[in-house]
Amino acid sequence: MPNPTIVALGTANPTTQFSQEELLSLASYTDERRRGFFLHSGIEKRHMYVEKATFRPTETTDELNARFRKGGVEIGRLAIQRALDQAGCSAQEIDFVVTTTCTGRLCPNLDAYFVREFAMKERVQRVHVGDMGCASGMIALQQAYNHLRAFPDHRALIVSVEICSSTYYLDDSLETAVANAIFADGAAAAILTSDGAGVEVLGHMSLVRSDYLDLMGFTYPSGRPRILLSKEIRGIGSAMMKELAAAILDRYHLKQEEIRFWVLHSAGRGVLERAQREIGLGDADLQFSRQVLRRFGNMSSATVLFVLNEVIRSGQASPGDLGVMIALGPGFCAEGALLRW
C-alpha cells in the first residue's frame, strides 16, 4: 500500500505586520528583563489579525472570540485556496477534512465553516483536533495519514489556523511576557493523496510525558484565555525532541547523517538553540526553523507546516532525501514524522 504524500501546501497570514519594537510598545513593558524577551527573541516581524490604528489591549472575551472567528476563517480560507491551486484540484474533490486550532473555540467548528466557504460535497468526512497546542499540526497530519491508509482513493485536507493574538493577556508574570513576545497569527493547509508527487509521509511517532502536564497550556481566569508557559519547557522540550528523533531513526534503521532536512517547530529561540545542541545539528540544519521564527514568530500549530513549506520552497530537496519533522505541545508531548522527497 502506498504511503500518503503531501502534494500541496499553502500558508497565509493576516496582512497587518508588526515589528517587535511596535509590539513591545503596545505591551508597555518597561523593565529590561521583559523588554529582552521581545528584543532578543530571534523574531523580527509578526503578523496579527488586528487593525493597527484602532487596536487596544482592552478587548472583552466576546470581542476576542469574534476576532478569532473572523480572522480564522479568513486566513484559513486563503491557505486552503493556495493549497487547492497548487494541487490543481477543486474543493469538491476533497473527501476528508482535518482542522486544528487551540486559540479559539467555535461550535460548529472551523471545519464546518470551510465546508460552507468552499461548497464542499455533502458526504465529506471531518474531524477537528482541538486544544492540543503547537503539536496539533502534526496530529492533524497524523489523522490524514491514518485516513488515507484506510481509504487510499481519497483526498485529505488538513488546515491549521491560529489567531494567537486573540489569547493575549497582560499581568505581572514573566511567562505571560514571554508568550506576548513570541506568538503570532497564521494558517497552513496541506492536501494529501496516496498517488501524487510530493513529500511522502513514511510514518508517525508520538512521545507523551504526562509528568509535565502542568507546565504548558491555557488557563482561563474569568473566562479569558491566558497562556501557561513554564521556563522549564526549553530544557524539557529540546530533550524530548532529541529522544523522539532517536526513536524515529531507530525504528527505520537510519543514521542521523542520512537525514537531509530537520523540520523542527520554531517554538522559540531558546528551544531551537538547545535542540541544536542536544541533537547535534549544525546551523544549516536549523536554517528553515530560524527563518520562520524570524519572519513570523511562533504561530502555534501552523508553525511546523510553515517550516516544511520553507524547505519545499527552497528547492534544495532532491528525490530520495529524508526529513524528520517534530513539533512540541502541551500534555507534554513531542509529535514527529519521517518524510521522504
Side-chain angles (χ1 to χ4, degrees), residues 76-203:
R77 181 179 61 221
L78 184 55
I80 292 169
Q81 189 61 62
R82 288 172 176 169
L84 289 169
D85 291 345
Q86 280 185 35
C89 73
S90 72
Q92 290 71 39
E93 296 175 86
I94 298 298
D95 302 288
F96 182 59
V97 179
V98 190
T99 54
T100 188
T101 189
C102 67
T103 50
R105 290 178 175 174
L106 299 173
C107 184
N109 224 300
L110 285 167
D111 54 291
Y113 285 85
F114 296 138
V115 168
R116 182 177 67 179
E117 289 285 327
F118 287 93
M120 295 183 186
K121 58 191 175 188
E122 293 181 350
R123 297 188 183 277
V124 67
Q125 296 180 42
R126 302 168 295 143
V127 67
H128 180 70
V129 178
D131 299 328
M132 300 188 79
C134 299
S136 66
M138 292 298 301
I139 298 169
L141 182 64
Q142 186 182 89
Q143 297 305 304
Y145 174 94
N146 291 342
H147 181 88
L148 290 175
R149 294 288 287 182
F151 303 97
D153 60 328
H154 281 193
R155 281 188 173 90
L157 168 68
I158 68 171
V159 193
S160 169
V161 179
E162 301 290 6
I163 305 293
C164 294
S165 64
S166 68
T167 68
Y168 67 77
Y169 195 90
L170 294 175
D171 62 16
D172 293 331
S173 79
L174 291 175
E175 66 180 24
T176 298
V178 171
N180 290 337
I182 65 173
F183 284 102
D185 301 349
I191 295 173
L192 289 85
T193 71
S194 297
D195 58 0
V199 183
E200 183 183 4
V201 184
L202 298 179

Side-chain angles (χ1 to χ4, degrees), residues 159-312:
V159 193
S160 169
V161 179
E162 301 290 6
I163 305 293
C164 294
S165 64
S166 68
T167 68
Y168 67 77
Y169 195 90
L170 294 175
D171 62 16
D172 293 331
S173 79
L174 291 175
E175 66 180 24
T176 298
V178 171
N180 290 337
I182 65 173
F183 284 102
D185 301 349
I191 295 173
L192 289 85
T193 71
S194 297
D195 58 0
V199 183
E200 183 183 4
V201 184
L202 298 179
H204 287 262
M205 187 177 290
S206 301
L207 177 62
V208 181
R209 291 280 165 73
S210 55
D211 290 352
Y212 307 131
L213 186 70
D214 299 327
L215 299 184
M216 183 177 175
F218 278 99
T219 59
Y220 296 90
S222 301
R224 189 184 181 97
R226 175 188 179 275
I227 293 177
L228 171 64
L229 194 66
S230 169
K231 64 181 180 180
E232 297 176 54
I233 290 301
R234 284 176 293 178
I236 294 168
S238 58
M240 288 180 66
M241 278 188 173
K242 176 184 178 181
E243 185 175 347
L244 185 60
I248 291 172
L249 296 180
D250 182 64
R251 173 185 285 181
Y252 293 95
H253 310 291
L254 295 169
K255 297 179 180 178
Q256 185 164 317
E257 52 267 29
E258 295 179 79
I259 303 302
R260 175 72 175 82
F261 296 104
W262 291 87
V263 186
L264 303 185
H265 168 55
S266 308
R269 180 179 177 180
V271 172
L272 289 177
E273 288 177 350
R274 292 190 184 208
Q276 181 174 356
R277 293 195 301 268
E278 291 270 359
I279 301 173
L281 302 176
D283 287 339
D285 295 316
L286 273 294
Q287 64 175 311
F288 300 107
S289 297
R290 289 195 169 109
Q291 186 171 303
V292 167
L293 184 67
R294 183 174 65 253
R295 293 170 54 200
F296 301 104
N298 184 339
M299 299 164 286
S300 191
S301 66
T303 311
V304 74
L305 294 167
F306 270 70
V307 178
L308 178 59
N309 194 43
E310 291 299 318
V311 175
I312 294 169

